[in-house]
Amino acid sequence: MGKFQSSSPKLTKAFIGYGHYQLTVTYSDCVKTAITGNMELIDRLNSDVEKEREEAITEAIAFVQKQSF
């Protein structure tokens, strides 16, 4: 049997300036980015509570997909 490769996207964030972050979603075939000033979302992405963090990741990925054409 071959190795199963996950097709789920990977989210990274980078501080770019006062209250703004660049969110980058890496898929197996492309990379999409968007800029957000939503500090509530960023706080949840940094949460120690796994469920809250996972929900924020899903929300952030959807945000990037909506912002990227």
Side-chain angles (χ1 to χ4, degrees), residues 11 23 25 34 36 38-42 44-45 51-67:
L11 175 73
L23 301 175
V25 179
T36 185
N38 183 342
M39 292 308 297
E40 186 267 335
L41 176 60
I42 298 301
R44 290 189 298 124
L45 287 171
K51 182 177 180 181
E52 184 175 6
R53 190 173 56 248
E54 288 175 358
E55 289 171 356
I57 289 170
T58 300
E59 184 180 327
I61 290 171
F63 172 78
V64 172
Q65 287 176 335
K66 185 177 178 183
Q67 297 300 310

Side-chain angles (χ1 to χ4, degrees), residues 6-65:
S6 174
S7 61
S8 61
K10 179 182 176 196
L11 175 73
T12 56
K13 64 184 178 315
F15 179 72
I16 58 170
Y18 181 75
H20 288 85
Y21 284 78
Q22 177 175 311
L23 301 175
T24 302
V25 179
T26 305
Y27 298 93
S28 60
D29 60 344
C30 68
V31 175
K32 296 183 177 187
T33 62
I35 295 174
T36 185
N38 183 342
M39 292 308 297
E40 186 267 335
L41 176 60
I42 298 301
D43 288 343
R44 290 189 298 124
L45 287 171
N46 294 327
S47 176
D48 291 333
V49 179
E50 184 177 352
K51 182 177 180 181
E52 184 175 6
R53 190 173 56 248
E54 288 175 358
E55 289 171 356
I57 289 170
T58 300
E59 184 180 327
I61 290 171
F63 172 78
V64 172
Q65 287 176 335

